[in-house]
Amino acid sequence: MIKAVALTKSYGRTRAVDDLSFEVHDGVVTGFLGPNGSGKSTTMRMILGLDRPQAGTVTLDDRTYHDLAWPLREVGAVLEAKAVHPGRSARNHLLGVAQSNAIPKGRVDEVLDLVGLAGVADRRVGKFSLGMGQRLGIATALLGDPGVLLFDEPINGLDPEGILWVRNLLKSLAAEGRTIFVSSHLMSEMALTATDLVVIGRGRLIADTTVREFISSNTEPTVLVRAPEDARLSDLLVSLGASVAPGGEGGLLVTRITPAQIGEAALGAGIALHELSPQLASLEEVFMDLTSDTVDYHGGGGTGAGP
Amino acid sequence: MTTASPPAPAAPRAAVVQPGRAGLGRAIVSEWTKARSVRSTWIAVAIVVMAGVGLSALVSNIEAGRWSTLGVADRAQFDPVRFSQTGEFISQFVVGVLGALVVTSEYATGSVRTTLAGMPRRMNVLGSKAVVAAVVVFLVSEVTAFVSFFVGQAILTAHGGRTLPVGSSIVTQIRSPVIPVETIGGVGALRAVFLCGIYLTLLALIALGIGLIVRHTAAAISLYVGVLLVIPLIIQILPSHISDGIEKYLPSNLGLAMIVVTTRKTDFAGVLLSPWAAVALLAVYAVVVGAVGAWFLTRRDA
């Protein structure tokens, strides 16, 4: 289990991570979600003892990273793709890392097989594609067969096949009882891989929950209704305490009322319904709503925070 | 916000318990694998060997041809040992690049994060890098220095040179009809050749320390070259009453003090420190730069 308590880290006057507390549990994939620049990478570096927090602590099964006798046998991390000397072969890179933590040499070939790089093991890493570099990073993380794995944006630069491979790998690693902590700025990706979620924006905790709860607690059940007499239906529903908004193409988006109540009210008033469908808010929308005021860098257009 | 999910029952994973902890010994093995698996290490080694032996042969050849035409002053400075160690001038830059790259190439690629994650006690990282760089540079430099010495003397001998009698004075050397040749048993010769390798080893460690401080290959090498080449030039421009007091403490002149055989020569007397004082002072420089580098390595975020 990873436990962060009141982690705080500033770079100059910028608070990269601000009083951040969360827990990452064993046996599930926990997504670490936030817009770009929200402090995810900084947090991961603090977990690994690479960056020093100004305040707060982060522990792995109640020990700090510095206390681990053989860190790579307990924690594996994929921080950036191709963080390897371009002139070194994949095999020599892995061998050097393995030797530092007394990991048997045979494990190098095992992880090369596991990530599908056995055929290019002796090729210089500089010739690797981004996807191959990402696989080498994952092989490096898996070398010590660690119980805790951190992945910082692992699907960046991967082709669809690679993305599927990473998803399945993360799930199978979690199924083996490992603690898996994966950062991403893509909510949809997390919805497919993660069970638990830690959501941050501008270094602050927005949610520490499960994917399911995150969606249900942050979206209001909405029903799309289409009726020829939409004006009369709208008045009727408002009189019953519902909120009604135009839903485009003549439909109405209705909240604070169940589909059953809408159907019965329409029947009672003799209004024909052409459509009555509960709407599932997209995860992307929920995420964007929650983090929109915490995004540091908006794209062009009218939503920017000032000039 | 809301509650987190309860931890799922963890499937038991076979935990292999390894005694001890990741320490200096493992780090050294790892660093050696890293050093030997990149071309730059072997290119540096090749340049040190080729520059050392090649320049020894070239300079000894040229100097042998000049002996009969030399005046008194030039004959007094004729130093068969130093001619054989001319390659040191080039090698000092090569070992500097090697020492800096051991650190900065990891910062350039980001692989330093993997290294430090594997060795959270960062002094072990510094120690292992210093040991590997020092051992590689020491072995290569010493072998090169001795081979260069014997090649140089062989060439002087081939030109008709001969060893002067033990205890010969500077006058004997000036009046000698044949080219003076040095033996490794001659006064100061073994020391000069051996210290050539020590000089290069200490320089590599200084460059490594600079690498830890600036973390950037080009910046580290520029600083290193600045210390060896540019600062001496600036000091030379200063009025001599100032520069005379400083010059002998410059790393490049400490190197000269180590590899010059001053016993029969007069031109360096008083201008240079004694060879062993020079070794000690250069070692102090290396320790100071290394300590500053260690401070940055252990305090700064990776």
Side-chain angles (χ1 to χ4, degrees):
Chain A
M1 188 181 82
I2 305 169
K3 186 174 183 179
V5 179
L7 270 185
T8 301
K9 177 82 187 173
S10 304
Y11 295 106
R13 302 178 68 182
T14 317
R15 278 246 158 137
V17 175
D18 192 356
D19 195 28
L20 182 63
S21 301
F22 60 86
E23 287 180 7
V24 180
H25 301 284
D26 300 345
V28 289
V29 176
T30 301
F32 190 25
L33 198 59
N36 286 323
S38 57
K40 300 188 298 292
S41 298
T42 303
T43 304
M44 290 215 162
R45 287 201 301 271
M46 287 194 284
I47 295 172
L48 293 166
L50 295 172
D51 285 13
R52 188 181 296 208
Q54 266 110 18
T57 57
V58 58
T59 52
L60 303 130
D61 293 332
D62 298 323
R63 291 166 303 165
T64 66
Y65 193 87
H66 201 266
D67 292 333
L68 304 178
W70 304 101
L72 301 185
R73 290 162 172 265
E74 304 202 40
V75 184
V78 185
L79 291 186
E80 35 200 320
K82 290 184 86 170
V84 182
H85 192 297
R88 198 173 281 136
S89 72
R91 188 193 304 280
N92 280 326
H93 163 70
L94 292 169
L95 180 61
V97 175
Q99 286 166 334
S100 72
N101 274 243
I103 296 162
K105 199 176 175 180
R107 183 69 187 153
V108 169
D109 288 316
E110 278 177 36
V111 293
L112 280 167
D113 263 338
L114 188 65
V115 303
L117 289 177
V120 292
D122 294 308
R123 212 187 286 175
R124 288 152 57 93
V125 175
K127 309 256 185 226
F128 278 20
S129 68
L130 191 59
M132 289 159 83
Q134 197 67 271
R135 282 166 185 261
L136 180 57
I138 292 171
T140 310
L142 294 175
L143 258 182
D145 195 19
V148 176
L149 282 153
L150 310 181
F151 296 87
D152 197 4
E153 303 272 359
I155 60 163
N156 270 8
L158 292 185
D159 54 20
E161 193 195 353
I163 291 171
L164 189 63
W165 177 77
V166 169
R167 266 181 214 151
N168 291 333
L169 178 74
L170 295 180
K171 285 178 183 166
S172 67
L173 290 169
E176 289 165 3
R178 296 175 216 256
T179 307
I180 313 290
F181 196 40
V182 196
S183 82
S184 179
H185 62 282
L186 300 172
M187 177 73 210
S188 52
E189 184 53 36
M190 289 298 93
L192 287 167
T193 13
T195 308
D196 287 1
L197 267 189
V198 173
V199 186
I200 65 169
R202 275 194 189 160
R204 292 182 145 274
L205 185 71
I206 292 174
D208 180 358
T209 176
T210 64
V211 172
R212 193 172 301 169
E213 279 181 50
F214 180 67
I215 298 161
S216 66
S217 67
N218 288 293
T219 54
E220 218 174 354
T222 305
V223 185
L224 177 69
V225 189
R226 283 183 210 284
E229 295 178 84
D230 55 353
R232 194 152 80 87
L233 178 65
S234 177
D235 291 343
L236 173 66
L237 295 175
V238 169
S239 72
L240 292 171
S243 313
V244 180
E249 293 176 35
L252 300 173
L253 283 172
V254 187
T255 52
R256 292 175 20 203
I257 191 165
T258 66
Q261 287 171 306
I262 296 171
E264 279 161 21
L267 178 66
I271 299 171
L273 296 182
H274 287 184
E275 183 175 352
L276 178 65
S277 53
Q279 300 295 294
L280 290 172
S282 95
L283 298 174
E284 217 64 69
E285 280 174 77
V286 175
F287 176 55
M288 294 309 280
D289 276 357
L290 269 173
T291 59
S292 58
D293 54 341
T294 64
V295 175
D296 275 334
Y297 312 103
H298 287 279
T303 55
Chain B
M1 287 205 137
T2 48
T3 54
S5 70
R13 293 180 49 253
V16 183
V17 180
Q18 171 90 11
R21 52 170 34 201
L24 184 61
R26 303 284 180 183
I28 290 172
V29 176
S30 168
E31 283 302 324
W32 168 240
T33 298
K34 289 195 235 172
R36 69 170 173 76
S37 61
V38 293
R39 284 180 192 168
S40 56
T41 306
W42 300 110
I43 292 171
V45 167
I47 295 175
V48 169
V49 174
M50 289 192 297
V53 179
L55 283 176
S56 170
L58 183 68
V59 173
S60 300
N61 215 9
I62 293 169
E63 295 295 335
R66 293 174 66 210
W67 176 254
S68 57
T69 65
L70 291 180
V72 171
D74 289 336
R75 284 193 167 201
Q77 289 180 42
F78 197 89
D79 187 342
V81 178
R82 188 146 69 94
F83 298 152
S84 75
Q85 303 301 318
T86 313
E88 161 270 342
F89 183 77
I90 289 175
S91 300
Q92 62 186 343
F93 300 107
V94 178
V95 299
V97 172
L98 185 67
L101 276 180
V102 166
V103 172
T104 58
S105 71
E106 290 211 21
Y107 281 99
T109 60
S111 60
V112 69
R113 298 216 170 101
T114 307
T115 303
L116 294 177
M119 284 283 155
R121 285 161 293 276
R122 296 184 182 180
M123 283 306 286
N124 286 333
V125 174
L126 168 57
S128 61
K129 286 184 181 296
V131 166
V132 169
V135 169
V136 168
V137 172
F138 176 77
L139 290 178
V140 173
S141 302
E142 288 298 352
V143 169
T144 303
F146 279 92
V147 171
S148 301
F149 175 81
F150 290 114
V151 165
Q153 306 319 308
I155 286 170
L156 293 178
T157 307
H159 281 81
R162 218 162 301 149
T163 312
L164 299 180
V166 178
S168 295
S169 69
I170 191 75
V171 180
T172 317
Q173 174 163 322
I174 292 166
R175 288 182 179 163
S176 170
V178 294
I179 306 160
V181 178
E182 199 58 82
T183 62
I184 198 71
V187 178
L190 179 61
R191 180 268 300 163
V193 175
F194 175 72
L195 288 191
C196 189
I198 294 289
Y199 173 60
L200 294 177
T201 305
L202 289 172
L203 285 184
L205 290 174
I206 288 172
L208 190 150
I210 293 174
L212 284 172
I213 296 166
V214 301
R215 296 184 166 189
H216 190 275
T217 306
I221 293 172
S222 304
L223 258 174
Y224 175 82
V225 171
V227 169
L228 278 186
L229 274 188
V230 182
I231 292 181
L233 291 178
I234 294 170
I235 302 247
Q236 270 180 12
I237 297 167
L238 298 175
S240 64
H241 69 275
I242 299 173
S243 66
D244 285 355
I246 303 173
E247 268 185 321
K248 60 177 144 188
Y249 304 116
L250 294 174
S252 44
N253 286 336
L254 295 177
L256 197 58
M258 292 182 204
I259 61 173
V260 155
V261 179
T262 49
T263 44
R264 280 205 296 268
K265 317 295 182 289
T266 51
D267 56 332
F268 291 119
V271 180
L272 295 175
L273 294 182
S274 79
W276 295 102
V279 173
L281 184 57
L282 195 62
V284 168
Y285 290 171
V287 168
V288 170
V289 175
V292 175
W295 191 87
F296 278 110
L297 176 69
T298 50
R299 298 303 176 90
R300 258 193 315 200
D301 291 339

